[in-house]
Amino acid sequence: ETGVTQSPTHLIKTRGQQVTLRCSSQSGHNTVSWYQQALGQGPQFIFQYYREEENGRGNFPPRFSGLQFPNYSSELNVNALELDDSALYLCASSSMGTGRYEQYFGPGTRLTVT
Amino acid sequence: DAKTTQPTSMDCAEGRAANLPCNHSTISGNEYVYWYRQIHSQGPQYIIHGLKNNETNEMASLIITEDRKSSTLILPHATLRDTAVYYCIVREDFGNEKLTFGTGTRLTIIP
Protein backbone atom coordinates (compact mmCIF):
# COMPACT_ATOMS: atom_id res chain seq x y z
CA GLU A 1 0.00 0.00 0.00
CA THR A 2 1.46 3.33 -1.10
CA GLY A 3 1.26 6.16 1.41
CA VAL A 4 0.54 9.83 0.82
CA THR A 5 3.33 11.67 -0.95
CA GLN A 6 3.86 15.40 -1.41
CA SER A 7 6.17 17.49 -3.56
CA PRO A 8 8.26 19.48 -3.29
CA THR A 9 9.62 18.97 0.21
CA HIS A 10 10.75 22.55 0.61
CA LEU A 11 10.10 25.69 -1.38
CA ILE A 12 11.17 29.32 -1.14
CA LYS A 13 9.09 31.98 -2.89
CA THR A 14 8.96 35.76 -2.96
CA ARG A 15 5.95 37.79 -1.82
CA GLY A 16 3.49 38.26 -4.68
CA GLN A 17 4.50 35.09 -6.51
CA GLN A 18 2.33 32.04 -7.12
CA VAL A 19 3.01 28.49 -5.96
CA THR A 20 1.68 25.02 -6.76
CA LEU A 21 2.01 22.14 -4.31
CA ARG A 22 1.26 18.54 -5.24
CA CYS A 23 -0.13 15.55 -3.42
CA SER A 24 -0.61 11.89 -4.36
CA SER A 25 -3.22 10.15 -2.25
CA GLN A 26 -2.85 6.75 -0.62
CA SER A 27 -3.89 3.92 -2.92
CA GLY A 28 -7.58 3.17 -2.60
CA HIS A 29 -8.43 6.65 -1.31
CA ASN A 30 -10.67 9.05 -3.25
CA THR A 31 -10.67 12.19 -1.09
CA VAL A 32 -7.92 14.72 -0.44
CA SER A 33 -7.88 17.42 2.24
CA TRP A 34 -5.34 20.23 2.55
CA TYR A 35 -4.17 21.83 5.78
CA GLN A 36 -1.88 24.73 6.65
CA GLN A 37 0.28 24.51 9.75
CA ALA A 38 2.01 27.65 10.98
CA LEU A 39 4.95 27.29 13.32
CA GLY A 40 3.90 26.22 16.80
CA GLN A 41 0.24 25.72 15.91
CA GLY A 42 -1.98 22.81 14.95
CA PRO A 43 -2.93 22.24 11.31
CA GLN A 44 -5.78 24.39 9.96
CA PHE A 45 -8.19 23.02 7.35
CA ILE A 46 -8.01 24.74 3.96
CA PHE A 47 -10.34 22.62 1.78
CA GLN A 48 -11.25 19.12 0.70
CA TYR A 49 -11.70 17.58 -2.76
CA TYR A 50 -13.87 14.62 -3.68
CA ARG A 51 -14.72 13.50 -7.21
CA GLU A 52 -12.72 16.43 -8.57
CA GLU A 53 -14.98 18.96 -6.81
CA GLU A 54 -14.37 21.11 -3.75
CA ASN A 55 -16.27 19.45 -0.91
CA GLY A 56 -15.80 21.83 1.99
CA ARG A 57 -13.63 24.84 2.72
CA GLY A 58 -12.11 26.44 5.76
CA ASN A 59 -11.56 30.13 6.47
CA PHE A 60 -9.06 30.81 3.69
CA PRO A 61 -9.29 33.48 0.96
CA PRO A 62 -10.01 32.65 -2.70
CA ARG A 63 -6.34 33.01 -3.63
CA PHE A 64 -6.05 29.51 -2.14
CA SER A 65 -7.42 27.15 -4.77
CA GLY A 66 -7.11 23.50 -5.64
CA LEU A 67 -7.65 20.75 -8.12
CA GLN A 68 -8.22 17.04 -7.93
CA PHE A 69 -7.42 14.81 -10.88
CA PRO A 70 -9.12 11.58 -12.06
CA ASN A 71 -6.39 9.54 -10.35
CA TYR A 72 -7.31 11.33 -7.07
CA SER A 73 -4.04 13.24 -6.85
CA SER A 74 -4.40 16.92 -6.02
CA GLU A 75 -2.81 20.33 -6.30
CA LEU A 76 -2.93 23.32 -3.99
CA ASN A 77 -2.37 26.69 -5.67
CA VAL A 78 -1.71 29.89 -3.79
CA ASN A 79 -1.67 33.19 -5.68
CA ALA A 80 -0.25 36.54 -4.59
CA LEU A 81 1.83 35.01 -1.81
CA GLU A 82 2.05 36.88 1.48
CA LEU A 83 4.64 36.54 4.22
CA ASP A 84 2.01 34.91 6.48
CA ASP A 85 1.62 32.09 3.97
CA SER A 86 4.93 30.70 5.22
CA ALA A 87 3.94 27.37 6.76
CA LEU A 88 3.97 23.60 6.46
CA TYR A 89 1.30 22.53 3.97
CA LEU A 90 -0.12 19.09 4.59
CA CYS A 91 -2.35 16.97 2.48
CA ALA A 92 -4.36 14.07 3.83
CA SER A 93 -6.20 11.36 1.95
CA SER A 94 -9.24 9.40 3.01
CA SER A 95 -11.93 7.25 1.51
CA MET A 96 -15.47 8.57 1.14
CA GLY A 97 -18.22 5.99 1.09
CA THR A 98 -16.40 3.13 2.78
CA GLY A 99 -17.39 3.81 6.37
CA ARG A 100 -13.78 4.44 7.38
CA TYR A 101 -12.98 8.12 7.51
CA GLU A 102 -9.52 8.32 9.05
CA GLN A 103 -7.35 10.82 7.23
CA TYR A 104 -3.77 9.82 6.45
CA PHE A 105 -1.27 12.62 6.11
CA GLY A 106 1.71 13.14 3.87
CA PRO A 107 5.04 14.53 5.11
CA GLY A 108 4.17 18.07 4.07
CA THR A 109 5.71 20.83 1.98
CA ARG A 110 7.55 23.56 3.88
CA LEU A 111 6.86 26.89 2.13
CA THR A 112 8.90 29.95 3.00
CA VAL A 113 7.80 33.32 1.62
CA THR A 114 10.39 36.10 1.72
CA ASP B 1 -17.10 20.51 15.93
CA ALA B 2 -16.95 20.29 19.71
CA LYS B 3 -13.88 21.70 21.37
CA THR B 4 -11.36 19.67 23.30
CA THR B 5 -9.10 20.54 26.21
CA GLN B 6 -5.72 18.89 26.69
CA PRO B 7 -2.76 19.56 28.98
CA THR B 8 -0.05 21.57 27.24
CA SER B 9 2.73 19.13 28.07
CA MET B 10 3.48 15.87 29.86
CA ASP B 11 6.52 13.75 30.63
CA CYS B 12 6.63 9.96 30.89
CA ALA B 13 9.47 7.57 31.70
CA GLU B 14 10.54 5.22 28.96
CA GLY B 15 8.91 1.81 29.34
CA ARG B 16 6.05 3.11 31.44
CA ALA B 17 2.47 3.63 30.27
CA ALA B 18 1.73 7.12 29.00
CA ASN B 19 -1.81 8.29 29.80
CA LEU B 20 -2.93 11.36 27.87
CA PRO B 21 -6.23 12.93 29.00
CA CYS B 22 -8.69 14.89 26.90
CA ASN B 23 -11.86 16.72 27.92
CA HIS B 24 -14.69 17.10 25.40
CA SER B 25 -17.63 18.06 27.58
CA THR B 26 -19.76 19.40 24.70
CA ILE B 27 -19.41 16.34 22.47
CA SER B 28 -22.61 15.42 20.66
CA GLY B 29 -24.04 11.95 20.31
CA ASN B 30 -22.78 11.32 16.78
CA GLU B 31 -19.27 12.71 17.22
CA TYR B 32 -16.31 10.39 17.39
CA VAL B 33 -13.11 10.93 19.39
CA TYR B 34 -9.98 10.80 17.23
CA TRP B 35 -6.35 10.85 18.28
CA TYR B 36 -3.46 11.87 16.06
CA ARG B 37 0.17 12.54 16.87
CA GLN B 38 2.78 14.63 15.12
CA ILE B 39 6.45 13.90 15.46
CA HIS B 40 8.61 16.95 14.87
CA SER B 41 8.37 18.28 11.29
CA GLN B 42 6.38 15.29 10.04
CA GLY B 43 2.73 14.99 9.01
CA PRO B 44 0.21 13.98 11.69
CA GLN B 45 -0.19 10.24 12.17
CA TYR B 46 -3.55 8.62 12.84
CA ILE B 47 -3.55 6.62 16.10
CA ILE B 48 -7.05 5.51 17.02
CA HIS B 49 -10.67 6.60 17.20
CA GLY B 50 -13.85 5.57 18.98
CA LEU B 51 -17.47 6.50 19.62
CA LYS B 52 -18.59 4.97 22.92
CA ASN B 53 -16.70 1.79 23.61
CA ASN B 54 -13.08 1.45 24.55
CA GLU B 55 -10.85 0.69 21.60
CA THR B 56 -7.44 -0.93 21.26
CA ASN B 57 -5.10 -1.35 18.32
CA GLU B 58 -1.43 -2.08 17.82
CA MET B 59 -0.44 1.46 18.76
CA ALA B 60 -2.63 2.43 21.69
CA SER B 61 -5.81 2.06 23.72
CA LEU B 62 -8.60 4.61 23.93
CA ILE B 63 -10.71 4.79 27.06
CA ILE B 64 -13.92 6.87 26.78
CA THR B 65 -15.91 7.66 29.91
CA GLU B 66 -19.50 6.52 30.07
CA ASP B 67 -20.84 10.07 29.74
CA ARG B 68 -18.40 10.58 26.82
CA LYS B 69 -17.25 13.91 28.24
CA SER B 70 -13.63 12.83 28.48
CA SER B 71 -11.23 10.23 27.19
CA THR B 72 -7.72 8.92 27.78
CA LEU B 73 -5.21 7.73 25.23
CA ILE B 74 -2.91 5.07 26.63
CA LEU B 75 0.46 4.16 25.13
CA PRO B 76 1.18 0.96 27.07
CA HIS B 77 5.00 0.89 26.94
CA ALA B 78 6.29 4.29 25.89
CA THR B 79 9.51 4.51 23.88
CA LEU B 80 11.63 7.49 22.92
CA ARG B 81 10.00 7.38 19.47
CA ASP B 82 6.66 8.22 21.09
CA THR B 83 7.88 11.75 21.84
CA ALA B 84 5.45 13.91 19.85
CA VAL B 85 2.53 16.33 20.02
CA TYR B 86 -0.70 14.40 20.57
CA TYR B 87 -3.99 15.84 19.31
CA CYS B 88 -7.42 14.84 20.56
CA ILE B 89 -10.15 15.74 18.03
CA VAL B 90 -13.89 15.21 17.98
CA ARG B 91 -15.69 15.03 14.66
CA GLU B 92 -18.72 13.56 13.00
CA ASP B 93 -18.00 10.68 10.68
CA PHE B 94 -19.72 11.70 7.49
CA GLY B 95 -16.57 11.39 5.45
CA ASN B 96 -16.40 15.03 4.47
CA GLU B 97 -15.77 16.32 7.94
CA LYS B 98 -12.57 18.26 8.48
CA LEU B 99 -10.23 17.62 11.37
CA THR B 100 -10.10 20.59 13.74
CA PHE B 101 -6.76 20.54 15.53
CA GLY B 102 -6.11 22.36 18.79
CA THR B 103 -2.67 22.86 20.24
CA GLY B 104 -2.40 19.30 21.57
CA THR B 105 -0.25 17.81 24.33
CA ARG B 106 3.49 17.75 23.90
CA LEU B 107 4.54 14.34 25.30
CA THR B 108 8.19 13.88 26.14
CA ILE B 109 9.49 10.39 26.90
CA ILE B 110 12.33 10.51 29.39
CA PRO B 111 15.12 7.88 29.09
Side-chain angles (χ1 to χ4, degrees):
Chain A
E1 190 175 82
T2 307
V4 179
T5 60
Q6 293 186 243
S7 62
T9 306
H10 295 87
L11 200 54
I12 300 174
K13 289 287 190 178
T14 302
R15 190 171 50 184
Q17 287 187 317
Q18 178 266 344
V19 69
T20 298
L21 310 181
R22 295 178 175 81
C23 171
S24 292
S25 58
Q26 183 167 308
S27 60
H29 285 181
N30 56 21
T31 303
V32 174
S33 302
W34 286 91
Y35 293 80
Q36 179 196 67
Q37 186 173 24
L39 205 59
Q41 298 181 21
Q44 301 297 306
F45 175 73
I46 303 175
F47 44 54
Q48 182 186 83
Y49 276 82
Y50 170 62
R51 291 187 174 177
E52 302 176 50
E53 297 281 338
E54 188 178 287
N55 189 43
R57 188 178 184 93
N59 189 27
F60 281 82
R63 59 189 186 84
F64 285 78
S65 63
L67 286 171
Q68 186 182 31
F69 300 100
N71 66 354
Y72 307 123
S73 66
S74 177
E75 286 182 355
L76 164 66
N77 298 291
V78 186
N79 293 323
L81 283 167
E82 301 177 358
L83 296 179
D84 285 349
D85 295 333
S86 294
L88 181 67
Y89 288 85
L90 297 157
C91 91
S93 73
S94 54
S95 192
M96 194 86 72
T98 64
R100 293 192 63 87
Y101 300 121
E102 308 95 88
Q103 294 187 6
Y104 293 88
F105 285 80
T109 293
R110 172 79 56 190
L111 172 65
T112 301
V113 182
T114 62
Chain B
D1 292 337
K3 292 185 178 178
T4 62
T5 304
Q6 300 177 252
T8 302
S9 63
M10 294 180 61
D11 293 340
C12 178
E14 187 178 16
R16 303 294 295 269
N19 295 276
L20 291 92
C22 179
N23 287 320
H24 30 79
S25 59
T26 60
I27 192 171
S28 64
N30 55 354
E31 286 182 315
Y32 286 72
V33 180
Y34 278 77
W35 283 85
Y36 280 77
R37 72 180 182 184
Q38 188 171 23
I39 297 169
H40 183 63
S41 294
Q42 298 182 20
Q45 178 188 24
Y46 165 78
I47 302 173
I48 199 168
H49 76 286
L51 182 64
K52 296 179 183 177
N53 300 320
N54 299 336
E55 302 286 345
T56 295
N57 63 19
E58 64 279 3
M59 289 183 67
S61 294
L62 174 60
I63 308 298
I64 302 174
T65 58
E66 192 169 345
D67 63 8
R68 303 210 321 124
K69 293 185 177 181
S70 65
S71 61
T72 302
L73 178 74
I74 301 172
L75 308 178
H77 305 286
T79 71
L80 297 179
R81 288 178 296 178
D82 293 321
T83 293
V85 177
Y86 287 76
Y87 297 98
C88 169
I89 299 165
V90 295
R91 84 192 262 252
E92 295 182 338
D93 248 3
F94 294 141
N96 62 345
E97 290 298 314
K98 63 186 178 187
L99 293 168
T100 301
F101 290 82
T103 52
T105 295
R106 182 171 298 278
L107 175 67
T108 302
I109 306 302
I110 310 296

